[in-house]
Amino acid sequence: MTDMDDCRNRLSVLDIISKFEKNRPDLPNKPEKLTQENADMENTQSQKYLDLTDFGPVGGAKSQWRGLQTFRRKATSTRLSLALIPLTEVEGEDQEGEGEKMKKQETNREKLYKIASELLETEKAYVKRLQLLDQGFFFTLLQEARLGSFPEDVVRQIFSNISCIHQFHGGFLLPELQRRMAEWDENPRIGDVLQKVAPFLKMYGEYVKAFDRAMELINTWREKSPRFEELVLQLQKQEASANLTLQHHMLEPVQRIPRYEMLLKDYLKKLPENSADRPDAQKALDIIFEAAKHSNAAIADMVTYSCLW
């Protein structure tokens, strides 16, 4: 008997499956006799599996049985996965995309509100500093100068147009920002407010140009006039002064313009391209940018005087 004859006498995969299923109590018994057509088909399939297993790379009927069971499990799992995709993954991806889009829009609106709120809060603090410079230092030293303790012209040169800056911010810009933030839910924008007031910021040019000379005069007259020195020290010790020197307070207006520029740039980054506030905000930034050039130069010069503060 040849190897081929011996191999053909072995049970085929279909014979093994048939015997296994026939002994299972949960399956109905199959008829013992097959029609001639079914018998021919079974012989053909038996020969096919025999060729693919006993003489193929798999290595036998036992291996083919395990492969067939694996195939059945994978096929069932694939059908279940395909059936679930339209109801879960596809709809879930759509919902997730919409959710992320809404979340991004909401976050953007919150960022714009935060920038506007920061502008308002810093403006409140800035107006308090201006009041200290105008009604505190400037007024007190001017009154003493009129008594003849030191020249009045010196005091006016030191404080330049600080009174005009104080009146502008305290009487106009701050109230405008407060009104806008009070109606933010109905009208969420600040570009139009800043665009309207930006031309007035040109008044800072006079103050910034006089800043270097003001620092020199303060140091000179603190040395020349004991009364000048005494009044400055008294004002610096007040609670409103927060233990800062006159020179530090006078630097505040110089720093304020670059602060507007920074906040407005951040505001424009978060502002949607199609926002109605974008044209006004961009115009305001262009004007403030020009005004900030002088302030930035003065801030760079402050290193020269910092050792004298």
Side-chain angles (χ1 to χ4, degrees), residues 131-144:
Q131 183 175 358
L132 176 64
L133 281 171
D134 184 22
Q135 302 299 321
F137 286 98
F138 181 37
F139 179 79
T140 302
L141 291 173
L142 188 61
Q143 289 295 102
E144 186 66 26

Side-chain angles (χ1 to χ4, degrees), residues 201-265:
L201 299 179
K202 293 179 180 179
M203 71 174 69
Y204 277 82
E206 180 181 343
Y207 183 89
V208 171
K209 288 178 182 178
F211 181 77
D212 290 350
R213 177 60 177 160
M215 298 298 102
E216 293 176 357
L217 288 172
I218 291 172
N219 290 304
T220 298
W221 282 94
R222 288 187 69 172
E223 293 178 358
K224 289 180 62 173
S225 173
R227 182 58 177 161
F228 188 96
E229 168 76 357
E230 180 185 359
L231 289 175
V232 169
L233 290 176
Q234 286 179 1
L235 292 166
Q236 289 179 170
K237 291 178 181 178
Q238 292 182 359
E239 183 179 352
S241 189
N243 294 319
L244 296 176
T245 66
L246 171 59
Q247 291 91 326
H248 277 97
H249 291 304
M250 290 194 66
L251 186 62
E252 291 257 359
V254 179
Q255 295 174 320
R256 188 58 182 165
I257 300 300
R259 182 68 172 174
Y260 288 136
E261 181 186 12
M262 183 187 70
L263 288 172
L264 200 49
K265 282 182 177 179

